[in-house]
Amino acid sequence: MSLDWENQQYYLNHQKGFEGEGVLDESTETLPPGCLVLNDLLLEHRNSFFQIDALLVCADTLVLLEAKNYEGVHYWGAEKFTKSTGTVLENPYLQLQKSKVKLEILLQSLSCRMKVEAYVVYVNPEFILLQAQNNDNYILPSQIHSYLRTLKLNSQPNAEQKRIADVLVRLHKQDYPATKLPVYQYEHLRKGLSCFSCNALMTSFIGHYMHCPACGERMNVKRLIKNGIDDFRILFPEQKVTTNRMSDWCGSGDKDRIYRVLKENYQAKGNNHGRHYV
Protein backbone atom coordinates (compact mmCIF):
# COMPACT_ATOMS: atom_id res chain seq x y z
CA MET A 1 0.00 0.00 0.00
CA SER A 2 1.06 3.63 -0.36
CA LEU A 3 1.97 5.26 2.94
CA ASP A 4 1.21 8.82 3.88
CA TRP A 5 4.18 11.11 4.55
CA GLU A 6 4.24 10.57 8.32
CA ASN A 7 4.13 6.77 8.11
CA GLN A 8 6.63 6.76 5.24
CA GLN A 9 9.13 8.72 7.35
CA TYR A 10 8.49 6.42 10.31
CA TYR A 11 9.15 3.38 8.13
CA LEU A 12 12.32 4.86 6.59
CA ASN A 13 13.71 5.71 10.03
CA HIS A 14 13.15 2.15 11.24
CA GLN A 15 14.64 0.71 8.06
CA LYS A 16 17.72 2.89 8.46
CA GLY A 17 18.08 1.87 12.09
CA PHE A 18 17.80 -1.81 11.15
CA GLU A 19 20.51 -1.39 8.49
CA GLY A 20 22.73 0.35 11.05
CA GLU A 21 22.37 -2.55 13.48
CA GLY A 22 23.35 -4.90 10.65
CA VAL A 23 26.58 -2.96 10.05
CA LEU A 24 27.42 -3.16 13.75
CA ASP A 25 26.65 -6.89 13.82
CA GLU A 26 29.07 -7.45 10.91
CA SER A 27 31.80 -5.58 12.78
CA THR A 28 31.43 -7.61 15.97
CA GLU A 29 31.43 -10.91 14.07
CA THR A 30 35.20 -10.55 13.75
CA LEU A 31 35.74 -10.63 17.53
CA PRO A 32 37.57 -13.69 18.90
CA PRO A 33 35.85 -16.45 20.96
CA GLY A 34 36.84 -14.77 24.22
CA CYS A 35 34.12 -12.18 23.66
CA LEU A 36 30.48 -13.25 23.79
CA VAL A 37 28.25 -11.04 21.62
CA LEU A 38 24.53 -10.69 22.33
CA ASN A 39 22.66 -8.87 19.57
CA ASP A 40 19.32 -7.07 19.76
CA LEU A 41 18.44 -7.78 23.38
CA LEU A 42 15.11 -6.65 24.79
CA LEU A 43 15.17 -6.74 28.58
CA GLU A 44 12.76 -5.76 31.31
CA HIS A 45 13.41 -4.75 34.87
CA ARG A 46 10.89 -3.33 37.32
CA ASN A 47 8.24 -3.11 34.56
CA SER A 48 10.54 -1.02 32.36
CA PHE A 49 11.74 -2.24 28.95
CA PHE A 50 15.09 -1.35 27.46
CA GLN A 51 16.66 -2.46 24.21
CA ILE A 52 20.34 -3.13 23.49
CA ASP A 53 21.66 -3.27 19.92
CA ALA A 54 24.80 -5.18 20.90
CA LEU A 55 26.23 -6.28 24.24
CA LEU A 56 29.83 -7.48 24.36
CA VAL A 57 30.47 -9.76 27.32
CA CYS A 58 34.23 -9.43 27.82
CA ALA A 59 36.54 -10.87 30.47
CA ASP A 60 35.64 -8.37 33.20
CA THR A 61 33.50 -5.78 31.41
CA LEU A 62 30.14 -5.56 29.65
CA VAL A 63 30.20 -3.19 26.69
CA LEU A 64 26.83 -1.80 25.62
CA LEU A 65 26.77 -0.53 22.01
CA GLU A 66 24.02 1.55 20.41
CA ALA A 67 24.18 1.76 16.59
CA LYS A 68 23.22 5.00 14.86
CA ASN A 69 23.00 5.19 11.08
CA TYR A 70 23.08 8.98 10.85
CA GLU A 71 24.50 10.60 7.73
CA GLY A 72 25.49 14.13 6.84
CA VAL A 73 26.77 16.96 9.00
CA HIS A 74 25.62 17.14 12.64
CA TYR A 75 26.58 19.73 15.25
CA TRP A 76 27.14 18.27 18.71
CA GLY A 77 25.31 19.45 21.80
CA ALA A 78 25.16 17.95 25.28
CA GLU A 79 21.41 17.44 24.96
CA LYS A 80 20.76 17.67 21.23
CA PHE A 81 22.33 17.38 17.80
CA THR A 82 21.50 19.90 15.08
CA LYS A 83 21.70 18.78 11.46
CA SER A 84 22.98 21.13 8.77
CA THR A 85 19.37 21.36 7.56
CA GLY A 86 18.30 22.76 10.93
CA THR A 87 16.61 19.55 12.13
CA VAL A 88 17.14 18.92 15.84
CA LEU A 89 17.69 15.44 17.30
CA GLU A 90 18.11 14.27 20.86
CA ASN A 91 21.72 13.43 21.68
CA PRO A 92 21.54 9.61 21.45
CA TYR A 93 23.83 9.17 24.43
CA LEU A 94 21.06 10.42 26.74
CA GLN A 95 18.89 7.39 25.95
CA LEU A 96 21.92 5.09 26.00
CA GLN A 97 22.79 6.30 29.49
CA LYS A 98 19.32 5.36 30.70
CA SER A 99 19.74 1.86 29.26
CA LYS A 100 23.15 1.59 30.91
CA VAL A 101 21.73 2.41 34.33
CA LYS A 102 18.87 -0.08 33.90
CA LEU A 103 21.32 -2.77 32.85
CA GLU A 104 23.52 -2.06 35.89
CA ILE A 105 20.53 -2.37 38.22
CA LEU A 106 19.53 -5.64 36.55
CA LEU A 107 23.08 -7.01 36.81
CA GLN A 108 23.19 -6.10 40.49
CA SER A 109 20.09 -8.23 41.05
CA LEU A 110 21.91 -11.08 39.28
CA SER A 111 24.94 -10.75 41.60
CA CYS A 112 27.13 -9.66 38.72
CA ARG A 113 29.98 -7.32 39.64
CA MET A 114 31.28 -6.69 36.14
CA LYS A 115 31.50 -3.03 35.19
CA VAL A 116 29.45 -1.64 32.30
CA GLU A 117 30.68 0.68 29.56
CA ALA A 118 28.37 2.24 26.98
CA TYR A 119 29.02 3.81 23.59
CA VAL A 120 27.06 5.22 20.70
CA VAL A 121 28.52 3.77 17.50
CA TYR A 122 28.02 5.87 14.38
CA VAL A 123 28.23 3.34 11.56
CA ASN A 124 27.58 5.47 8.45
CA PRO A 125 30.83 6.56 6.75
CA GLU A 126 29.09 9.73 5.54
CA PHE A 127 28.39 10.90 9.11
CA ILE A 128 30.24 14.02 10.28
CA LEU A 129 30.09 15.31 13.86
CA LEU A 130 31.26 18.88 14.44
CA GLN A 131 31.98 20.76 17.68
CA ALA A 132 31.97 17.52 19.68
CA GLN A 133 33.43 17.51 23.17
CA ASN A 134 36.50 15.38 23.85
CA ASN A 135 34.80 12.49 25.61
CA ASP A 136 34.77 8.75 25.15
CA ASN A 137 31.07 7.92 24.89
CA TYR A 138 30.91 7.74 21.11
CA ILE A 139 32.73 5.83 18.40
CA LEU A 140 32.98 7.29 14.90
CA PRO A 141 32.89 5.13 11.74
CA SER A 142 36.66 5.23 11.26
CA GLN A 143 37.22 4.17 14.90
CA ILE A 144 35.03 1.05 15.07
CA HIS A 145 37.59 -1.60 14.19
CA SER A 146 40.42 0.05 16.14
CA TYR A 147 38.18 0.24 19.23
CA LEU A 148 37.25 -3.44 19.01
CA ARG A 149 40.96 -4.32 18.90
CA THR A 150 41.48 -2.58 22.25
CA LEU A 151 39.09 -4.89 24.15
CA LYS A 152 40.70 -7.03 26.82
CA LEU A 153 39.77 -10.60 25.98
CA ASN A 154 40.75 -14.05 27.11
CA SER A 155 41.31 -16.80 24.55
CA GLN A 156 38.06 -18.40 25.73
CA PRO A 157 35.12 -17.04 27.77
CA ASN A 158 35.36 -17.65 31.51
CA ALA A 159 32.64 -19.13 33.71
CA GLU A 160 31.22 -15.74 34.75
CA GLN A 161 30.95 -14.58 31.15
CA LYS A 162 29.03 -17.71 30.23
CA ARG A 163 26.75 -17.38 33.27
CA ILE A 164 25.82 -13.77 32.60
CA ALA A 165 25.34 -14.35 28.86
CA ASP A 166 23.10 -17.36 29.50
CA VAL A 167 20.97 -15.47 32.03
CA LEU A 168 20.52 -12.44 29.76
CA VAL A 169 19.54 -14.64 26.82
CA ARG A 170 16.91 -16.32 29.00
CA LEU A 171 15.63 -12.92 30.13
CA HIS A 172 15.35 -11.64 26.55
CA LYS A 173 11.77 -10.79 25.62
CA GLN A 174 10.74 -12.33 22.31
CA ASP A 175 7.90 -9.90 21.65
CA TYR A 176 8.53 -6.19 21.50
CA PRO A 177 5.96 -3.86 23.04
CA ALA A 178 3.27 -2.71 20.61
CA THR A 179 4.77 -0.82 17.68
CA LYS A 180 3.01 1.95 15.83
CA LEU A 181 1.64 0.53 12.57
CA PRO A 182 -0.37 2.25 9.84
CA VAL A 183 -4.02 1.26 9.52
CA TYR A 184 -4.38 -1.33 6.76
CA GLN A 185 -7.09 -3.59 5.36
CA TYR A 186 -6.79 -6.65 3.16
CA GLU A 187 -8.85 -5.10 0.36
CA HIS A 188 -6.54 -2.06 0.16
CA LEU A 189 -3.27 -4.00 -0.20
CA ARG A 190 -1.69 -4.88 -3.53
CA LYS A 191 -1.40 -8.64 -4.00
CA GLY A 192 1.61 -10.61 -5.19
CA LEU A 193 4.95 -12.06 -4.08
CA SER A 194 7.83 -9.92 -2.83
CA CYS A 195 11.32 -10.31 -4.27
CA PHE A 196 13.81 -11.50 -1.65
CA SER A 197 16.40 -8.94 -2.75
CA CYS A 198 14.59 -5.73 -3.63
CA ASN A 199 11.03 -6.31 -2.32
CA ALA A 200 9.52 -5.59 -5.74
CA LEU A 201 6.00 -7.02 -5.95
CA MET A 202 5.43 -9.68 -8.60
CA THR A 203 1.75 -10.09 -9.39
CA SER A 204 2.08 -13.51 -11.05
CA PHE A 205 4.27 -16.60 -10.84
CA ILE A 206 4.98 -19.61 -13.00
CA GLY A 207 7.36 -22.60 -13.03
CA HIS A 208 9.81 -23.70 -10.36
CA TYR A 209 12.10 -20.67 -10.64
CA MET A 210 11.55 -17.10 -11.80
CA HIS A 211 13.50 -13.87 -12.13
CA CYS A 212 12.51 -10.59 -10.52
CA PRO A 213 11.60 -8.12 -13.29
CA ALA A 214 13.08 -5.27 -11.24
CA CYS A 215 16.50 -6.60 -10.16
CA GLY A 216 16.88 -9.91 -11.99
CA GLU A 217 17.23 -12.04 -8.85
CA ARG A 218 16.55 -15.75 -9.54
CA MET A 219 14.22 -17.22 -6.92
CA ASN A 220 12.59 -20.50 -6.02
CA VAL A 221 8.83 -20.07 -6.51
CA LYS A 222 7.95 -22.46 -3.69
CA ARG A 223 10.03 -20.37 -1.27
CA LEU A 224 8.40 -17.21 -2.57
CA ILE A 225 4.95 -18.62 -1.93
CA LYS A 226 5.93 -19.80 1.56
CA ASN A 227 7.31 -16.34 2.33
CA GLY A 228 4.12 -14.70 1.05
CA ILE A 229 1.95 -16.94 3.24
CA ASP A 230 4.09 -16.11 6.27
CA ASP A 231 3.65 -12.41 5.53
CA PHE A 232 -0.13 -12.87 5.45
CA ARG A 233 -0.09 -14.66 8.81
CA ILE A 234 1.84 -11.78 10.38
CA LEU A 235 -0.40 -9.08 8.91
CA PHE A 236 -3.70 -10.87 9.51
CA PRO A 237 -3.25 -13.25 12.47
CA GLU A 238 -7.01 -13.49 13.04
CA GLN A 239 -7.90 -14.50 9.48
CA LYS A 240 -7.95 -18.10 8.29
CA VAL A 241 -5.29 -19.27 5.87
CA THR A 242 -7.13 -21.06 3.05
CA THR A 243 -6.13 -22.14 -0.43
CA ASN A 244 -8.48 -19.65 -2.07
CA ARG A 245 -7.37 -16.73 0.08
CA MET A 246 -3.68 -17.52 -0.47
CA SER A 247 -4.25 -17.84 -4.21
CA ASP A 248 -5.60 -14.30 -4.18
CA TRP A 249 -2.92 -13.01 -1.80
CA CYS A 250 0.02 -14.42 -3.79
CA GLY A 251 -1.19 -13.18 -7.17
CA SER A 252 -2.18 -15.08 -10.27
CA GLY A 253 -0.54 -18.45 -10.68
CA ASP A 254 -1.03 -22.15 -10.15
CA LYS A 255 -3.65 -22.73 -7.45
CA ASP A 256 -2.48 -26.35 -7.07
CA ARG A 257 1.02 -25.05 -6.27
CA ILE A 258 -0.44 -22.96 -3.44
CA TYR A 259 -2.25 -26.02 -2.12
CA ARG A 260 0.92 -28.13 -2.15
CA VAL A 261 2.92 -25.47 -0.29
CA LEU A 262 0.19 -25.24 2.36
CA LYS A 263 -0.01 -29.02 2.69
CA GLU A 264 3.78 -29.40 3.03
CA ASN A 265 4.41 -26.59 5.49
CA TYR A 266 1.29 -26.20 7.62
CA GLN A 267 -1.22 -28.32 9.50
CA ALA A 268 -4.69 -28.68 7.98
CA LYS A 269 -7.75 -28.05 10.13
CA GLY A 270 -11.36 -28.81 9.13
CA ASN A 271 -12.77 -30.48 6.04
CA ASN A 272 -13.95 -29.49 2.57
CA HIS A 273 -14.96 -25.80 2.40
CA GLY A 274 -14.04 -25.27 6.05
CA ARG A 275 -10.42 -26.40 5.63
CA HIS A 276 -7.73 -23.97 6.70
CA TYR A 277 -4.09 -24.18 7.73
CA VAL A 278 -2.21 -23.29 10.91
Side-chain angles (χ1 to χ4, degrees):
M1 62 182 287
S2 297
L3 298 174
D4 59 31
W5 186 88
E6 181 180 353
N7 281 310
Q8 178 72 5
Q9 295 304 307
Y10 184 75
Y11 162 72
L12 292 175
N13 288 336
H14 275 275
Q15 182 184 49
K16 202 165 188 177
F18 178 75
E19 292 170 352
E21 290 180 31
V23 173
L24 180 59
D25 291 348
E26 290 179 4
S27 299
T28 58
E29 284 177 358
T30 62
L31 289 168
C35 179
L36 300 178
V37 183
L38 306 181
N39 292 317
D40 203 20
L41 278 176
L42 180 65
L43 302 171
E44 180 185 12
H45 189 60
R46 296 177 182 173
N47 297 316
S48 177
F49 286 93
F50 61 102
Q51 190 262 342
I52 297 174
D53 290 344
L55 185 67
L56 312 183
V57 186
C58 304
D60 59 358
T61 307
L62 292 169
V63 182
L64 193 162
L65 301 178
E66 172 77 12
K68 289 298 178 185
N69 195 14
Y70 295 169
E71 61 181 304
V73 177
H74 291 67
Y75 294 88
W76 184 90
E79 297 183 352
K80 62 185 180 181
F81 286 2
T82 304
K83 299 178 68 173
S84 56
T85 58
T87 302
V88 176
L89 307 171
E90 181 184 58
N91 185 327
Y93 186 71
L94 297 179
Q95 183 60 44
L96 179 65
Q97 184 64 20
K98 294 177 183 177
S99 297
K100 177 177 180 287
V101 171
K102 291 177 182 179
L103 178 61
E104 288 173 332
I105 295 172
L106 176 60
L107 292 172
Q108 188 176 39
S109 71
L110 300 174
S111 301
C112 175
R113 300 181 182 276
M114 297 170 70
K115 67 177 181 179
V116 178
E117 297 178 359
Y119 303 93
V120 179
V121 184
Y122 298 99
V123 300
N124 195 313
E126 297 183 8
F127 171 74
I128 298 174
L129 184 61
L130 300 178
Q131 300 176 353
Q133 298 298 303
N134 185 22
N135 54 39
D136 299 323
N137 57 32
Y138 58 85
I139 300 172
L140 298 175
S142 60
Q143 301 172 319
I144 296 174
H145 292 292
S146 59
Y147 167 76
L148 294 177
R149 288 196 292 269
T150 66
L151 296 174
K152 296 180 180 179
L153 304 174
N154 297 325
S155 58
Q156 295 294 328
N158 58 42
E160 180 64 359
Q161 284 178 269
K162 293 179 180 179
R163 182 183 77 87
I164 291 302
D166 288 342
V167 171
L168 292 177
V169 168
R170 288 199 302 270
L171 292 176
H172 169 68
K173 303 296 182 182
Q174 294 293 332
D175 297 321
Y176 273 57
T179 303
K180 175 188 173 185
L181 291 175
V183 177
Y184 59 92
Q185 296 177 356
Y186 180 86
E187 294 75 16
H188 297 160
L189 301 184
R190 288 174 295 186
K191 312 304 187 291
L193 298 173
S194 297
C195 172
F196 293 139
S197 295
C198 70
N199 287 325
L201 199 64
M202 295 167 283
T203 57
S204 62
F205 59 90
I206 188 172
H208 294 289
Y209 291 89
M210 62 184 296
H211 291 83
C212 174
C215 70
E217 178 77 9
R218 182 175 184 265
M219 294 163 291
N220 181 288
V221 171
K222 184 182 291 187
R223 281 189 60 213
L224 277 173
I225 294 172
K226 172 69 165 56
N227 190 66
I229 295 171
D230 289 342
D231 286 346
F232 177 87
R233 298 176 72 204
I234 292 172
L235 292 170
F236 304 100
E238 304 301 322
Q239 293 193 27
K240 290 184 177 181
V241 175
T242 65
T243 303
N244 286 336
R245 176 50 64 96
M246 291 305 96
S247 296
D248 180 61
W249 175 251
C250 294
S252 61
D254 187 352
K255 187 174 180 179
D256 289 338
R257 177 74 64 83
I258 299 285
Y259 168 72
R260 289 196 294 271
V261 172
L262 287 169
K263 187 176 179 181
E264 291 174 7
N265 295 277
Y266 305 95
Q267 182 180 358
K269 297 284 188 180
N271 297 308
N272 301 325
H273 295 296
R275 178 172 295 173
H276 61 281
Y277 296 84
V278 296

